[in-house]
Each structure stands twice: as structure tokens, then as C-alpha cells.
């Protein structure tokens, strides 16, 4: 392949590989500070798993529709703050219920936005654990209150750490206390009922993809409390609006974003990242390179795998790829949904199946919040469940389609118990597999992100943004603090702050 150097000025301060939310937040934060930034996106629109696609009058979210970080108060509303940095915003619709759980032994519970109402709902099922329930969730609030007092930037920047500690010593000490802790050990201090502990496992699994014993307390403190503080807020026009607005804001701030630009190589000179090469041979050079790809894609595909840094080898000893998902994107008649149906549901019939493929079923119905996403008289139902890519390899085209159809109808049968008449009211169905996620999102094996291989000490093993290769940074769910749109936005703020300091761009200390 011939190597082509871009004809226009191709030296940037920062190149960002991928336009997921973490990459976009990094790019917009730096562009807003005056840095010359280029984002390279392999697909035709920004957002990655926070993107969208349109079919027959429906606008489907690629991933989950349960969005944190669009609140208006405090410091944990990171998506709102990221949009504001480039003078833009999204209209958001408040969801009064985070999740409606449909769990074994008729544990049918709604997580209300009002905190005390949620505790009352849960204590009604476990009256003997009423005190323990409140103490556990109140301790989650302690974590959140510490986070919500400080500006969330790079923990790799000493001046920021010193300033933050001097301004908020108690909050910082509180976070240090919880940094090595996991949810399970905290929950067991207050709760003894085994089924209630299984419910706490599900409370963690539904966003961390691991049970409570392996879920960091810092992350749980954010999720379990922010749903009652900033709340779950759905962006009008779909989740894809967040990435669209960030991309527009990037360009208004002087940055650039190039679509259908697939990076195949991070160029290094003397063990320092100096640029990237695209599939068409074009080369772009920069003072700093940021990868919004997974760490497996970054260090085993974009860089020579035989040169894998020692600390990355060590990281892979602690973390593994989570499963991908099998997704059903459905358009259904309005009559399918009973009166009072909530937007988000989790369905599990047997506790032993929680972490198995097709065990836990996640359901989002975003048209209950924004009806304009579907034709009049219809709703969107997005149902998805964990699945491993190995189960979808080595199939012929006909076998692949047959397997998709078989599993899809098994899931529809399960949904029929909650939404009677779903089969008869089905207007549109599209099935995505781990192969689909790998193809369109560019994620190794279609993975949702890294999960611990074993019980670790909270977030202490999760890497920050800098890497062992000088000039190369990582951002997104493979970096501190992990998975979820608000979490990867945090990683974007941190990454931009660290790079700005490294480049000598004026930042708040």
C-alpha cells in the first residue's frame, strides 16, 4: 500500500481515534481550550454505542437508553458539562422510574426517582431488612456526596490533586476510603438475607456486568445515588443527539472530525506515538494521540502485539473482555404496552442464570419518553441480553440467520409475559449479534468493555489515561472509572485535563 501524507496542514496537537463519548469529550474539552484537534471515526456518524440508526420511520438507539449525567446540579452531571463546554445542550426528558425489575419469586419492584419511595418499595419485600437497606444505600450516598463536591478531572495531575485536597479534604479522604472497596463487602455489613443480596447483585450487574463482589463501590455510589439526584434523563431525539451535539460543538470550537476514516496503525518513533495511518494509506501526525478503542484493539491491533507493554500484560492478568450483546430492535403497535408501562425493565426468571447468556434480559422503550422516535401509534422496544461472540463464529449465512431468528423468538416469548400481544403487534424486527457490534462499533469481539477476572480491590487496578508509550493516551471504558456514558465522560474530562497539562495549554489548577 502506498503511504499518503495529507495535503493540508496535517500536524495536530491531538488526534483522537474514535468518536465514542469518551473520545468526543476529550476532543471538545481540548478544542475549547484552543488545541488543534482531529477526531477520526471509522463509521458515518459519531457516538459508537451511543449512536443511532433509522429504519422505516423508527429511530433506534444502538445501545442502552438509560442515561445518567444530563442533570443540572452538582459536579457529576458530566454530559451536561461536556456539552456546555462547547456552547451546546440537549433537551432532556426526566424518567420517573430508573428500572422496573421483574425478578425471581415475584420480586416485582420499581426503582423510583424519589429515594425514600424506592427504599419503601424494597423494604416492603424485605421488611426484616428495613434498617440494613437504608444503611447500605445511605453509605452509597456518602460516596456520591464526596464525588459531587469536587470537580472531576485527572487523578494523574498533581496540582489538581493538591488543590482539590486543600479545598475538600474530607471528600478526598472519603473517596480514598472507598477506592479499594467493592459493593458486596459493604452490602454484607448491613444485609444478611440471601435473596436481598442477590437483588444487590442485580443492581450492580445491570450496568457493571458483574455481581456486587466484583463491582467497585465508587461506581455504585455514583449510579445508586445519582438516579435519585440528577436522575435518569432521556435526550429528546434519541441518545445519538449527545454525540451529534458534541461533534457539532467540536467543529464550532475549531476542531475537526473526519468520518469513514478507519485507523489501522498508530505510528511510533523511538517508542513515542507521533501519528496514525488510515486504511487508505493517509497519515496524520500529532503531538499527542488518544485511542478511544478498547485496550485490546489499541495494543494488539493498532500497535504491534509483540511490543505489548509490561503494564498492559499485567492489566490483562486482572481484566477480561465482557460479553457482547444480542439485541432485538422492535417496532410495535401502541396497544402492546399496558397502561402505566415504564421505560426500562430487567427480566430474570432464575437467579442462577443472571450472568449466563440470555439469562438477564434488558428492555428499553424510549418512545414512552419521546414518542417522536416512532411513527404515530407505534412504540420502540429494544431488548438485549449478554452473548459471547464464540457462539456466533463458524456459521454459514443461512445458519447465522436461522440462529438469530430462533433466539429472537425465544426472547419475544419471554417478553410476551409482560407485554401480552407483542407477537401479534410486531411491526418491525431487526436482530443484532456480537458480530454486528464488532463490525459497526469496531470493538474487539463486540465486547461491552473490561470486567475483572476475579475479585479486585475496587478501582485500584483500573488504569488512568496515560500509557507506557509516550504521547499515547487511552480514553473510554478501558480506563478509570469504567463503563457507562457518564463514566466514559469522566475519563474524557480526565484525559483532556492531563493532555492539556502535558502540552502546556492553560488549565485550571
Amino acid at each position: 500500500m502506498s503511504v499518503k501524507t495529507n495535503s493540508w496542514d496535517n500536524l495536530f496537537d491531538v488526534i483522537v481515534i474514535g468518536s465514542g463519548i469518551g473520545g468526543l469529550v476529550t476532543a471538545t474539552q481540548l478544542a475549547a481550550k484552543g488545541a488543534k484537534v482531529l477526531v477520526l471515526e471509522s463509521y458515518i456518524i459519531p457516538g459508537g454505542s451511543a449512536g443511532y440508526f433509522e429504519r422505516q420511520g423508527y429511530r433506534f438507539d444502538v445501545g442502552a437508553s438509560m442515561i445518567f449525567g444530563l442533570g443540572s446540579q452538582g459536579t457529576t452531571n458530566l454530559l451536561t458539562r461536556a456539552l456546555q463546554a462547547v456552547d451546546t445542550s440537549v433537551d432532556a426528558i426526566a424518567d420517573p422510574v430508573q428500572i422496573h425489575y421483574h425478578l425471581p419469586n415475584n420480586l416485582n419492584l420499581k426503582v423510583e426517582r424519589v429515594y425514600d419511595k424506592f427504599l419503601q418499595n424494597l423494604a416492603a419485600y424485605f421488611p426484616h431488612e428495613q434498617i440494613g437497606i437504608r444503611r447500605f444505600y445511605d453509605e452509597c450516598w456518602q460516596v456520591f456526596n464526596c464525588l459531587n463536591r469536587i470537580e472531576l478531572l485527572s487523578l494523574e495531575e498533581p496540582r489538581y490533586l493538591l488543590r482539590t485536597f486543600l479545598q475538600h479534604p474530607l471528600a478526598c479522604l472519603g473517596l480514598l476510603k472507598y477506592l479499594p472497596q467493592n459493593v458486596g463487602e459493604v452490602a454484607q455489613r448491613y444485609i444478611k438475607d440471601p435473596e436481598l443480596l442477590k437483588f444487590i447483585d442485580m443492581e450492580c450487574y445491570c450496568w457493571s456486568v458483574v455481581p456486587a463482589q466484583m463491582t467497585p463501590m465508587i461506581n455504585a455510589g455514583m449510579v445508586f445515588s445519582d438516579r435519585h439526584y440528577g436522575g435518569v434523563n432521556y435526550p429528546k431525539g434519541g441518545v445519538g443527539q449527545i454525540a451529534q451535539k458534541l461533534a457539532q460543538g467540536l467543529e464550532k470550537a475549531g476542531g475537526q472530525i473526519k468520518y469513514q476514516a478507519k485507523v489501522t496503525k498508530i505510528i511510533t518513533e523511538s517508542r513515542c506515538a507521533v501519528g496514525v495511518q488510515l486504511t487508505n494509506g493517509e497519515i496524520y501526525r500529532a503531538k499527542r494521540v488518544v485511542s478511544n478503542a478498547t485496550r485490546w484493539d489499541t495494543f494488539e491491533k493498532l500497535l504491534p502485539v509483540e511490543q505489548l507493554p509490561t503494564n498492559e500484560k499485567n492489566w490483562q492478568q486482572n481484566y477480561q473482555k465482557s460479553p457482547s450483546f444480542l439485541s432485538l430492535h422492535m417496532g410495535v403497535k401502541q396497544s402492546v404496552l399496558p397502561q402505566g408501562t415504564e421505560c426500562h425493565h430487567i427480566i430474570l426468571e432464575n437467579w442462577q442464570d443472571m450472568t449466563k447468556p440470555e439469562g438477564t434480559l434488558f428492555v428499553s422503550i424510549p418512545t414512552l419518553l419521546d414518542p417522536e422516535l416512532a411513527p404515530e401509534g407505534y412504540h420502540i422496544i429494544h431488548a438485549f441480553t449478554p452473548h459471547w461472540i464464540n457462539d456466533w463464529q463458524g456459521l454459514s449465512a443461512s445458519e447465522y440467520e436461522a440462529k438469530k431468528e430462533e433466539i429472537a423468538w425465544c426472547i419475544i416469548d419471554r417478553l410476551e409475559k409482560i407485554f401480552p400481544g407483542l407477537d401479534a403487534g410486531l411491526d418491525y424486527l431487526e436482530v443484532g449479534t456480537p458480530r454486528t457490534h464488532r463490525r459497526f462499533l469496531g470493538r474487539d469481539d463486540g465486547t461491552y468493555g473490561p470486567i475483572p477476572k476475579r475479585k479486585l480491590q475496587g478501582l485500584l487496578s483500573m488504569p488512568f489515561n496515560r500509557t507506557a508509550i509516550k504521547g499515547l493516551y487511552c480514553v473510554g471504558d478501558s480506563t478509570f472509572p469504567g463503563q457507562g456514558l457518564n463514566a466514559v465522560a469522566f475519563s474524557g474530562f480526565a484525559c483532556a485535563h492531563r493532555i492539556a497539562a502535558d502540552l502546556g495549554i492553560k488549565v485550571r489548577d
Side-chain angles (χ1 to χ4, degrees):
M1 178 186 293
S2 62
V3 174
K4 297 180 286 185
T5 299
N6 190 30
S7 58
W8 41 280
D9 184 8
N10 70 326
L11 179 62
F12 294 86
D13 291 319
V14 181
I15 288 173
V16 179
I17 304 168
S19 67
I21 295 300
L24 285 174
V25 171
T26 303
T28 49
Q29 285 287 301
L30 287 166
K33 294 177 174 70
K36 186 178 179 183
V37 181
L38 172 66
V39 176
L40 297 169
E41 169 55 50
S42 62
Y43 196 46
I44 57 175
I45 61 170
S49 58
Y52 72 95
F53 64 96
E54 294 180 319
R55 299 284 190 275
Q56 299 182 17
Y58 296 95
R59 176 175 285 191
F60 294 105
D61 296 327
V62 170
S65 304
M66 187 187 300
I67 307 301
F68 295 88
L70 285 175
S72 58
Q73 303 175 46
T75 63
T76 60
N77 54 343
L78 297 171
L79 295 176
T80 297
R81 290 175 52 211
L83 292 160
Q84 288 174 342
V86 284
D87 297 320
T88 189
S89 64
V90 298
D91 294 329
I93 305 157
D95 190 347
V97 171
Q98 183 215 6
I99 299 176
H100 185 174
Y101 285 112
H102 309 263
L103 301 176
N105 302 323
N106 296 314
L107 181 48
N108 193 308
L109 176 76
K110 294 183 180 182
V111 180
E112 304 275 356
R113 187 165 185 150
V114 177
Y115 179 57
D116 283 335
K117 195 169 183 181
F118 160 61
L119 295 187
Q120 290 168 11
N121 290 348
L122 186 56
Y125 282 93
F126 303 97
H128 54 291
E129 291 278 20
Q130 183 173 355
I131 294 173
I133 289 170
R134 178 169 287 278
R135 286 179 175 173
F136 166 68
Y137 284 102
D138 279 357
E139 185 149 351
C140 293
W141 273 102
Q142 292 178 30
V143 177
F144 178 78
N145 289 335
C146 291
L147 289 166
N148 204 32
R149 288 193 186 102
I150 64 177
E151 188 177 12
L152 301 177
L153 295 172
S154 177
L155 301 183
E156 297 181 281
E157 172 49 46
R159 290 171 297 177
Y160 157 74
L161 291 176
L162 178 60
R163 172 175 59 84
T164 302
F165 181 79
L166 292 175
Q167 292 176 344
H168 308 283
L170 294 180
C172 292
L173 291 172
L175 291 176
L176 282 173
K177 169 187 171 183
Y178 288 108
L179 194 61
Q181 297 188 46
N182 291 318
V183 178
E185 60 202 60
V186 178
Q188 288 176 4
R189 293 176 199 156
Y190 306 114
I191 294 168
K192 303 303 177 189
D193 187 295
E195 187 159 24
L196 179 53
L197 290 171
K198 288 175 182 175
F199 173 77
I200 302 295
D201 279 335
M202 177 57 83
E203 281 261 82
C204 294
Y205 182 77
C206 70
W207 50 270
S208 70
V209 206
V210 287
Q213 287 287 352
M214 299 170 73
T215 299
M217 187 63 181
I218 295 281
N219 299 47
M222 176 76 87
V223 174
F224 293 167
S225 305
D226 195 31
R227 62 190 181 186
H228 308 292
Y229 180 83
V232 175
N233 300 281
Y234 187 78
K236 188 170 176 58
V239 173
Q241 286 296 305
I242 300 171
Q244 292 280 352
K245 291 291 184 72
L246 284 171
Q248 292 167 13
L250 171 67
E251 293 181 323
K252 286 181 182 178
Q256 300 176 48
I257 183 165
K258 184 178 177 68
Y259 298 104
Q260 294 182 294
K262 183 174 176 59
V263 174
T264 56
K265 181 181 180 182
I266 295 172
I267 300 170
T268 60
E269 295 174 357
S270 302
R271 293 289 292 170
C272 178
V274 296
V276 300
Q277 183 171 335
L278 307 187
T279 51
N280 64 5
E282 280 190 315
I283 287 177
Y284 295 88
R285 298 179 72 87
K287 299 173 185 175
R288 298 292 188 273
V289 176
V290 179
S291 177
N292 193 194
T294 71
R295 297 189 92 87
W296 295 279
D297 289 291
T298 301
F299 289 98
E300 297 178 8
K301 295 179 181 177
L302 299 180
L303 290 162
V305 65
E306 64 272 11
Q307 297 178 20
L308 187 68
T310 300
N311 63 338
E312 293 300 323
K313 294 178 183 177
N314 294 338
W315 182 79
Q316 290 188 14
Q317 294 297 313
N318 291 325
Y319 289 89
Q320 63 185 340
K321 286 172 276 191
S322 74
S324 185
F325 286 98
L326 179 100
S327 296
L328 274 63
H329 294 277
M330 294 172 277
V332 303
K333 292 180 180 177
Q334 198 171 50
S335 58
V336 168
L337 302 182
Q339 188 71 25
T341 298
E342 304 297 346
C343 179
H344 298 104
H345 302 256
I346 288 181
I347 300 166
L348 178 68
E349 293 84 0
N350 189 321
W351 288 118
Q352 279 65 49
D353 294 338
M354 185 181 75
T355 61
K356 296 178 181 178
E358 299 172 55
T360 298
L361 186 59
F362 304 82
V363 180
S364 295
I365 314 172
T367 41
L368 289 169
L369 300 174
D370 186 359
E372 295 182 7
L373 299 173
E376 187 174 355
Y378 290 85
H379 278 291
I380 285 170
I381 297 180
H382 177 200
F384 50 105
T385 187
H387 244 264
W388 296 98
I389 199 166
N390 290 344
D391 295 331
W392 296 89
Q393 304 283 48
L395 302 175
S396 67
S398 59
E399 289 170 337
Y400 182 62
E401 292 301 321
K403 183 169 182 172
K404 286 202 297 184
E405 184 172 359
E406 178 186 0
I407 295 178
W409 286 107
C410 287
I411 290 173
I412 290 172
D413 286 344
R414 290 171 67 185
L415 292 173
E416 280 268 357
K417 297 171 185 175
I418 297 171
F419 309 119
L422 173 59
D423 185 354
L426 192 61
D427 176 62
Y428 180 84
L429 172 63
E430 184 160 337
V431 182
T433 73
R435 284 168 52 173
T436 315
H437 286 265
R438 180 179 63 184
R439 176 185 175 191
F440 288 102
L441 301 182
R443 297 179 66 88
D444 195 33
D445 291 344
T447 180
Y448 177 68
I451 57 175
K453 286 185 176 180
R454 58 187 180 278
K455 182 181 176 183
L456 301 173
Q457 286 190 304
L459 282 174
L460 290 180
S461 299
M462 183 62 80
F464 296 119
N465 301 107
R466 287 189 292 186
T467 72
I469 297 175
K470 187 177 179 180
L472 176 65
Y473 304 73
C474 285
V475 72
D477 55 30
S478 291
T479 61
F480 184 96
Q483 300 164 356
L485 288 196
N486 211 27
V488 298
F490 183 178
S491 79
F493 275 98
C495 190
H497 183 230
R498 181 62 260 179
I499 291 172
D502 290 345
L503 290 177
I505 297 171
K506 186 176 180 180
V507 295
R508 284 185 58 196
D509 294 327

